Amino acid sequence: MNVVVVGSGIAGLTAALHAHEAGHAVTVVTKGVLGDGCTGFAQGGVAGMYGPADSAAQHAADTIDAGAGLSDSAAVDVLVHDAAARIAELIARGVAFDRGPDGELLLGREAAHRHARIVHAGGDATGAAIAGALVAATRRAAITVVEGAFLADLMIVGGVACGVRVLVGGALSDLEADAVILATGGAGHLYAHTTNPEGTTGDGIAAALRAGAVVADLEFMQFHPTVLAEGPAFLISEAVRGEGATLIDVDGRRFAFDSHPDGELAPRDVVSRALARQAAAQDSPVRLDATMLGERVLARRFPTIDRVTRERGFDWAIHPIPVTPAAHYLMGGVVTDLDGRTSIPGLFAVGEVARTGVHGANRLASNSLLEGAVFGARAATAVGKPWKPVPAHVPTDARSASTAGTCRTRPRPDGSPFSRSVLQRLMWDDVGLLRTDEGLEHALDAVIRWRSTAPAPVTVAEREDANLLLLAEATASAALARTESVGAHYRDPVASPLLETV
Ligand code: SIN
């Protein structure tokens, strides 16, 4: 069969390699160059190697707890049970995960994991090692690669996906396929501050929405707690806290325990809100204190962070460094079954673009690379098999029925003209860490107004803007519909403005 994979992170390239190895003719189309998406920036690692006291069942329980109970347990079971095979596959494809002097894999711990079970490479350069190995494997295989190809739309005929329309070098062209696997990543650039690289503009989710696919849980955007609070957003891995670093206020007090008994190792959404509130209260960024780890450990275990913080003028072995939250990972997306099938026959979705149900309302650290590998492989295996209808998405709360893509009819006539940065600021302020009815209504009205007056997009930048606007409307709608606070979606009746630190 002809298979088109859109996107070239861990999920897309795993799917492409498996589909190729199963005998399909595979084309990978990617917006930039092969492997330049979010995967290459991942610092943490891949969860799923279990020591003697640990087990897949405990990993599943931690995943569901972090997800605030909204994860789909069948999807979580698949994730943890396929973990060992996918980690072994990455090793076989050339990823040199870090090992101790005895040759055993070194296992790291991150927030909300009860055990150290995360494999990493190059200390904090796991994503780069994985991207490098998968790109090399893809280039070695007889897989066609089309770089610089922007996904303009999915081609749907008779309700079935039959290819993609891409914009390459300013011209639209159609690529026909028997199966399309979306692996386009998330939408961090909906927000003013994000850990995601340029180009993470939700193109796949937007195309799926336009094609009528079922999309859910867009209100669950994860904000990572610790991004360097000076200069362009740069992630300080949660693994640093996993090794013992602490979060301190202006007086040097560890404030994270005020919010959760696990302190700095509480689920990410809890730590992000605690940190943002503390920063607002003290009118300056909180600080991450890693000094107790010492210069040698920091340089060896976190070489990338060590280099970048020093380039920015911080000596984190001696002084705590200022940190702030930023948009990091979208738990929602295109609804899939356990093999990546979406509600549109012939269309699969894997990785961050998908809503597999694994993450619930808040993703557990280092489950994203694992999810990409596990569900990328499973989707490729399902290609060519009889199509199974994807069960209708059951909202996790009666009040949260997906309103993605719905339009309201009362736009406010006034307000700022559209620009991407104004949209990102609006989303940060009104659809961010702490949300109020008033803020969500305000954001939704502005976005509806901008969408109603936007000209038809032509260029890549205009199409990205249109995608961001579509997702902003769907996200604000979903956030308004979910009236309770859960996981990363926090409805604050008395939100105060959060400190602008970046
Ligand atoms: C991190 O290294 O803190 C990020 C890892 C992740 O998002 O899972």
Side-chain angles (χ1 to χ4, degrees):
M1 296 184 87
N2 281 320
V3 180
V4 168
V5 178
V6 191
S8 62
I10 186 169
L13 294 185
T14 300
L17 287 161
H18 277 256
H20 167 71
E21 287 154 8
H24 301 298
V26 180
T27 300
V28 174
V29 301
T30 190
K31 185 167 164 178
V33 296
L34 209 56
D36 71 353
C38 287
T39 293
F41 289 84
Q43 293 178 357
V46 186
M49 279 300 289
Y50 310 122
D54 197 6
S55 63
Q58 293 183 68
H59 184 189
D62 289 349
T63 299
I64 290 169
D65 284 352
L70 297 195
S71 302
D72 171 347
S73 59
V76 175
D77 280 348
V78 161
L79 181 84
V80 298
H81 286 108
D82 288 3
R86 296 288 73 80
I87 291 171
E89 176 186 332
L90 288 168
I91 293 169
R93 294 204 196 274
V95 181
F97 289 115
D98 296 334
R99 293 177 185 270
D102 56 0
E104 293 296 314
L105 288 168
L106 290 173
L107 301 183
R109 187 176 172 209
E110 293 181 40
H113 286 274
R114 70 186 78 178
H115 292 291
R117 57 168 76 105
I118 297 165
V119 292
H120 46 84
D124 56 5
T126 311
I130 290 174
L134 295 184
V135 166
T138 303
R139 296 220 187 268
R140 279 195 303 272
I143 291 175
T144 305
V145 175
V146 186
E147 296 180 317
F150 180 86
L151 174 67
D153 263 315
L154 295 164
M155 292 161 57
I156 310 287
V157 174
V160 174
C162 57
V164 293
R165 177 160 296 165
V166 289
L167 185 65
V168 190
L172 286 170
S173 60
D174 291 349
L175 283 176
E176 293 186 359
D178 303 302
V180 174
I181 302 180
L182 272 183
T184 45
H189 280 266
L190 272 174
Y191 289 89
H193 309 300
T194 178
T195 60
N196 296 181
E198 287 299 325
T200 315
T201 48
D203 306 328
I205 305 174
L209 274 171
R210 287 193 295 271
V214 176
V215 170
D217 292 351
L218 295 184
E219 66 273 35
F220 297 130
M221 169 61 82
Q222 179 170 81
F223 294 85
H224 196 289
T226 54
V227 167
L228 195 59
E230 281 183 31
F234 176 73
L235 183 71
I236 309 293
S237 176
E238 204 159 70
V240 179
R241 279 174 282 132
E243 296 287 342
T246 60
L247 290 165
I248 55 173
D249 66 13
V250 271
D251 300 318
R253 192 179 70 88
R254 290 175 68 182
F255 60 88
F257 288 95
D258 301 347
S259 304
H260 196 283
D262 292 339
E264 290 90 354
L265 294 182
R268 207 170 262 181
D269 60 302
V270 176
V271 180
S272 287
R273 283 191 296 274
L275 195 147
R277 285 211 166 96
Q278 181 60 42
Q282 69 186 35
D283 201 21
S284 66
V286 307
R287 287 168 302 149
L288 178 75
D289 185 357
T291 56
M292 73 291 287
L293 298 178
E295 189 174 344
R296 285 177 52 188
V297 170
L298 289 173
R300 191 185 68 240
R301 175 70 179 86
F302 304 108
T304 313
I305 302 172
D306 192 64
R307 176 176 53 76
V308 174
T309 50
R310 287 178 191 285
E311 281 168 7
R312 302 238 183 128
F314 297 102
D315 185 344
W316 68 327
I318 295 180
H319 301 293
I321 53 175
V323 290
T324 187
H328 184 59
Y329 187 91
L330 182 57
M331 275 73 72
V334 186
V335 173
T336 70
D337 71 1
L338 301 181
D339 297 310
R341 294 183 195 87
T342 72
S343 60
I344 297 180
L347 178 67
F348 297 82
V350 294
E352 193 174 347
V353 69
R355 183 268 183 209
T356 59
V358 159
H359 306 305
N362 177 47
R363 177 174 63 79
L364 184 67
S366 286
N367 266 355
S368 54
L369 293 172
L370 178 63
E371 187 200 35
V374 165
F375 289 91
R378 292 176 72 90
T381 305
V383 167
K385 304 247 167 78
W387 191 262
K388 292 187 196 161
V390 172
H393 174 63
V394 182
T396 45
D397 181 287
R399 292 162 294 181
S400 68
S402 173
T403 51
T406 58
C407 282
R408 290 154 28 109
T409 51
R410 295 178 296 100
R412 285 181 198 159
D414 52 72
S416 324
F418 171 77
S419 71
R420 191 182 294 190
S421 60
V422 171
L423 170 69
Q424 291 166 330
R425 184 76 246 173
L426 179 81
M427 291 294 287
W428 182 260
D429 288 341
D430 288 345
V431 196
L433 273 157
L434 309 179
R435 301 165 175 184
T436 62
D437 268 352
E438 193 191 6
L440 292 171
E441 294 269 3
H442 173 253
L444 189 53
D445 283 349
V447 171
I448 288 171
R449 177 168 53 77
W450 286 328
R451 286 197 72 211
S452 68
T453 54
V458 177
T459 65
V460 167
E462 289 165 359
R463 287 172 192 272
E464 287 179 340
D465 284 345
N467 289 343
L468 288 171
L469 278 169
L470 175 57
L471 285 189
E473 181 176 343
T475 303
S477 298
L480 261 174
R482 188 179 287 280
T483 52
E484 87 281 21
S485 292
V486 58
H489 172 66
Y490 192 81
R491 298 292 295 263
D492 191 346
V494 286
S496 48
L498 292 177
L499 181 70
E500 175 59 32
T501 49
V502 183

